[in-house]
Amino acid sequence: MQQLQDFLKVANDVGKQERKWMSEYKPSIVCVDAAYIPLKEAKILGIPSVIVSNFTFDSIFAHLITPNPGLSHAITGPCFSSREPSSYFSDSEIISQMTNEYYSQADYLIRLPGCIPIPGFPASRKSHVIDVPLVVRMHRQSRQETRAVLGIDDESKILLVSFGGHDLVFEDENKKLLPEGWFGIVASPNSKSSGKFLVNPNSVNQLESRFLSVDTSLFWMPDLINAVDVVLGKCGYGMCSEVVAHKTPLIYVPRPDFIEEQGLISNLMEPYGYGIQMAQLDFYKGNWKDHILMSQLLLSKDIKKEIRTNGGNIIGCALLQIASETKSKTS
């Protein structure tokens, strides 16, 4: 939080740089994912601005400073706060209030699935909120093609372990992590970092260890997600959207202080995907087998709602329309 406080002290200087850039290049519209400084500068210059996200950082900061039970409760329902921003934050949450003031300058919110309440767009601004389907990366290769590259046959059961670019090293007792007959793929930014893993994947079925490390720079992650039977990882928008789009179960290890996770679970994984929570203690102790087997039962029992994956096209059309309408009003 100290770094954030230091940044906000120079926010005006950063804003002036943003304003200078906008004045020079004269964009028709300013679009941000969760950045907030450009929104105020766009408002000053009369340029329409749009947030495209499932969260904003004022909610994140508020939770980190003082966990708000009301926020967690609201996540299970519509992604609006029933209160205006002025009463949403307590006096002790000054940093969140400051960032909220920036977000409130946006003209529209294009809201992605898996949202949490976004204080800059309370219920009174509902008409300025556009809900869209998933913006998601899809596979480029078939399941069979990806498995062929990995040297894995079509019938083998595969767990993909992915924690957002972090290297994971397992001791050689990792046989106890997987059910009988299963293999594990570890997505690693540097597969050579651990001698425990096989770099050449051409003989997976002959491995004494049933884990294979793959260099994520050599694979399109949605291809891996589409090729496996279950993913073990953490909840982020990219991961949740991709497992939902490919109907692949996700075993997720919770991060209690990451408030975005609650929206992704309640408003994306639960209605549209196949998610199982694994306690952190079970993860670190290697109690994975039951969770893996349970994930396969979900596929046979739960009938999930379908979700469209054309959010990118809809967002593109919406941005063009907003820019065009603003130009017509000012000309």
Side-chain angles (χ1 to χ4, degrees):
M1 297 309 298
Q2 184 60 51
Q3 290 180 335
L4 176 61
Q5 291 174 333
D6 293 341
F7 173 74
L8 289 176
K9 291 177 182 178
V10 298
N12 287 335
D13 293 334
V14 175
K16 289 177 182 178
Q17 295 174 9
E18 293 276 356
R19 195 187 317 169
K20 180 180 179 181
W21 186 92
M22 293 181 198
S23 298
E24 181 179 352
Y25 288 93
K26 297 179 173 55
S28 300
I29 190 169
V30 172
C31 179
V32 303
D33 52 1
Y36 45 88
I37 297 293
L39 299 171
K40 180 180 177 181
E41 306 310 320
K43 178 68 73 174
I44 292 173
L45 294 173
I47 302 171
S49 62
V50 181
I51 301 169
V52 181
S53 187
N54 63 310
F55 78 97
T56 49
F57 282 110
D58 45 0
S59 288
I60 305 291
F61 298 150
H63 180 74
L64 290 175
I65 297 167
T66 307
N68 186 336
L71 177 61
S72 298
H73 176 73
I75 288 172
T76 61
C79 296
F80 286 105
S81 169
S82 60
R83 294 169 283 171
E84 293 297 319
S86 59
S87 62
Y88 188 89
F89 298 103
S90 68
D91 291 339
S92 63
E93 294 172 329
I94 298 174
I95 294 177
S96 291
Q97 182 66 62
M98 290 178 65
T99 53
N100 169 257
E101 290 171 359
Y102 281 98
Y103 284 122
S104 299
Q105 303 301 311
D107 296 297
Y108 287 91
L109 165 65
I110 296 180
R111 192 167 55 185
L112 300 176
C115 61
I116 61 175
I118 294 179
F121 283 81
S124 60
R125 298 191 71 190
K126 188 174 182 178
S127 61
H128 288 254
V129 177
I130 304 169
D131 286 309
V132 297
L134 281 181
V135 177
V136 60
R137 303 183 303 176
M138 297 299 295
H139 65 278
R140 297 168 178 170
Q141 293 181 323
S142 70
R143 173 184 172 95
Q144 291 75 20
E145 288 172 330
T146 302
R147 285 183 168 230
V149 172
L150 292 167
I152 300 172
D153 62 69
D154 292 345
E155 303 303 320
S156 294
K157 290 288 188 178
I158 306 296
L159 166 74
L160 172 64
V161 183
S162 177
F163 281 87
H166 296 287
D167 277 314
L168 296 174
V169 178
F170 299 112
E171 297 300 329
D172 217 2
E173 52 185 319
N174 52 29
K175 290 183 180 181
K176 72 177 185 180
L177 301 176
L178 301 173
E180 187 68 28
W182 279 70
F183 295 96
I185 293 176
V186 180
S188 171
N190 181 11
S191 63
K192 295 180 180 179
S193 63
S194 171
K196 300 289 184 184
F197 299 135
L198 181 71
V199 177
N200 181 352
N202 293 325
S203 57
V204 171
N205 290 327
Q206 299 174 12
L207 285 177
E208 180 179 354
S209 166
R210 290 181 289 164
F211 277 92
L212 162 71
S213 178
V214 296
D215 188 337
T216 52
S217 67
L218 303 178
F219 285 88
W220 177 243
M221 183 58 70
D223 284 339
L224 292 176
I225 290 173
N226 185 54
V228 302
D229 298 281
V230 61
V231 177
L232 171 60
K234 56 185 176 66
C235 287
Y237 179 83
M239 174 60 75
C240 290
S241 64
E242 288 171 12
V243 295
V244 166
H246 292 92
K247 296 182 172 61
T248 302
L250 172 65
I251 302 170
Y252 60 90
V253 181
R255 295 174 291 168
D257 288 333
F258 188 58
I259 196 66
E260 183 196 3
E261 181 178 277
Q262 296 185 26
L264 291 169
I265 294 168
S266 298
N267 297 321
L268 183 55
M269 292 304 304
E270 288 182 358
Y272 302 107
Y274 302 91
I276 294 178
Q277 179 175 300
M278 177 189 290
Q280 290 186 5
L281 187 61
D282 283 335
F283 174 74
Y284 289 117
K285 283 192 171 183
N287 299 327
W288 297 8
K289 285 184 181 180
D290 289 345
H291 297 84
I292 294 171
L293 294 174
M294 195 182 305
S295 73
Q296 302 307 287
L297 292 177
L298 288 180
L299 288 171
S300 62
K301 291 184 178 180
D302 286 4
I303 299 176
K304 293 293 185 176
K305 292 192 290 186
E306 291 289 331
I307 189 168
R308 292 180 296 158
T309 58
N310 62 335
N313 292 335
I314 293 174
I315 289 173
C317 293
L319 293 176
L320 287 172
Q321 182 176 350
I322 292 169
S324 178
E325 289 178 352
T326 304
K327 183 177 181 180
S328 298
K329 291 177 182 178
T330 56
S331 59

